Each structure stands twice: as structure tokens, then as C-alpha cells.
Amino acid sequence: QANGAWSLDASALDARLGASRWRGSVTAGRNGAGTLRLASQGQAEAFELTPWWPAAPRARLNGRWQLDLQAPPTLRVLPREASAWLALRGKAQIELADSLVNGVPLTIDFSAEGERPGWRVQADARAAGNRMQLSGQVAPRADEDRWRADIDAPALAALRPLLPAQPATAGLDGALQGQVQTRGRWPLLRTSGTLRATALRAGALSAGKLMAQWQAGPDRDAPLNLTLEGEQLRQGEMAFASLRAAVDG
């Protein structure tokens, strides 16, 4: 149109191949003021990626999605900074259940809400008995950003099919638990956390027990504090029956 407005409405998308099915709708548009909008919803039933995308991982997906986003005319197609993401408004939800990726059972529940200034994010991912939860917010003020990740992974070996072939993760095995928190936004970022691993193996690294605990920040109110403890540690040709290291200040 003369004022630059346009619209696209695909309300009955349906892709099938055998028992695999993907169906949904997409609407997109730009109004006379330049505001962009994208809305979509749908579901996947035993949907396999490789017939449509040969390079994709072997997967069978069951789930649904719903999103509604609005963006100002100045927003980049792929924002790189948190301040740019704050210009977006809307909400999104993605759920995967009873799905397989490279033979690994996978469940994901993700939601993001940004109808008011800022974005609040919740995610819960489970794969072969391992679980990771993420919650946080990108706030209008950088010092109000908050993120927390909780990890409970008692069966790391079961995750191998999901990982790219890299020397650092070859032969992944053991268990990992812990939590990581951040406050603020880079470079003025504060972080703290605890990670505990048992019977760990990842590439050339192995440990009977390994624990790391830390806190750090950009100013004297959050000085660096790091504790590292381990037993039966090996990195390549280096081996330690036990190890304890601490940094304070």
C-alpha cells in the first residue's frame, strides 16, 4: 500500500507425511505507522524434521506453540542487545511433550511474557531423566535483570546423542547438580552459584567428585570468591588424588 502497510494471512497451514503432521496459522503485517506484528499458533503430531530438512537431527516432535509479537519500525530483524529486545511486546509459549530427538526423550515447556515493559521468561526442559529449569527477566533497567538456572542431571551419559561431536564432551558421563544466578547485565553483571559433579567424565577431564562454588561482581560490594574442591581428578596426563583451591577478594 502507499503508506507502507501490508498484511499476510495464512490461516490453514497443514503439512502431512504418513503419520507425521504439522498444522497451524500465521498472520503478519505492518500498519501505517510502521509497527510490525507477527502471530502464530499450531501443533505438531509425530512430526519428523528430516523429510523436510535433511540436515536436521533425527526427531519426532509432539507439541504446540502460540505467539503474538509486536515490534516498532526501528527494530532489527535479529536484535543483538537486550535494549533492542525490550522494544518488542507480546507473548510466546512453546510446549514439547512425548518427543524424541536422536532417540532421547525430550519435554520442553517455555513461556515468555512481555506485554508490559520488560520480558519475563520461564523454561523447563527434561531429557532422559535430566532436568534444567530457567527463570528470569530482561528489565527496563539493566540492574534489575535477574536469571536463575537449576540443574539436576543424574544421567549425563544419556545426553550424548544430543551433543555435537566435540573432544571436550566425548564420553560424557556422571552426574551434575547445582544452580547459577545472575543479577544485572553485562558488563555490570553479578553472578553466584554452586555446581556439584560425581563420577564425571567429559573428554580428557574426569573426577570422582568435583564441587565449585562462587560469587563475583563488578564492584567491591561483590568481590570474587571462588572455592574449588575435587577428588580423583584427572586432566589429560595430570592427576590429583584431591584438590582444594580458594580465591577470596
Side-chain angles (χ1 to χ4, degrees):
Q1 299 181 15
N3 60 2
W6 57 268
S7 64
L8 169 69
D9 187 348
S11 58
L13 298 174
D14 196 338
R16 304 188 192 194
L17 184 62
S20 177
R21 187 176 186 185
W22 179 98
R23 51 182 172 171
S25 64
V26 178
T27 59
R30 174 178 176 172
N31 62 21
T35 300
L36 300 168
R37 184 188 179 200
L38 172 65
S40 178
Q41 63 179 356
Q43 63 185 49
E45 301 169 6
F47 187 70
E48 298 182 2
L49 295 173
T50 48
W52 313 91
W53 179 23
R58 185 167 46 90
R60 189 193 70 204
L61 306 179
N62 294 285
R64 59 180 181 173
W65 73 91
Q66 185 172 9
L67 63 88
D68 191 344
L69 303 174
Q70 300 88 42
T74 56
L75 188 71
R76 296 170 59 100
V77 175
L78 291 176
R80 297 181 180 181
E81 300 178 355
S83 57
W85 282 105
L86 288 170
L88 282 172
R89 291 287 183 273
K91 57 184 178 181
Q93 184 170 3
I94 301 173
E95 298 177 7
L96 283 181
D98 191 25
S99 297
L100 290 172
V101 177
N102 287 341
V104 178
L106 181 65
T107 299
I108 295 177
D109 191 347
F110 170 86
S111 64
E113 191 276 317
E115 294 182 304
R116 293 167 292 180
W119 280 86
R120 285 149 292 282
V121 176
Q122 297 279 345
D124 188 344
R126 306 185 190 206
N130 302 285
R131 184 178 188 183
M132 179 175 177
Q133 296 171 284
L134 176 69
S135 61
Q137 67 175 21
V138 181
R141 287 179 38 143
D143 60 355
E144 293 180 351
D145 282 11
R146 300 285 187 274
W147 294 95
R148 175 176 175 134
D150 291 274
I151 303 167
D152 183 13
L156 290 175
L159 301 178
R160 292 179 196 170
L162 298 178
L163 302 175
Q166 296 288 341
T169 57
L172 181 66
D173 205 348
L176 178 67
Q177 285 82 29
Q179 57 86 19
V180 179
Q181 298 180 81
T182 67
R183 297 174 57 192
R185 192 178 302 162
W186 183 264
L188 303 178
L189 185 70
R190 298 186 181 191
T191 177
S192 62
T194 302
L195 293 174
R196 293 183 174 86
T198 55
L200 177 66
R201 182 184 174 191
L205 172 68
S206 64
K209 292 183 180 179
L210 188 63
M211 187 277 289
Q213 186 171 4
W214 72 91
Q215 67 173 22
D219 52 46
R220 64 182 60 189
D221 293 331
L224 174 63
N225 186 297
L226 170 66
T227 301
L228 182 66
E229 298 179 356
E231 297 179 7
Q232 300 174 342
L233 290 167
R234 181 176 292 276
Q235 173 65 45
E237 296 183 358
M238 295 186 298
F240 304 89
S242 63
L243 174 70
R244 188 179 191 282
V247 178
D248 191 356

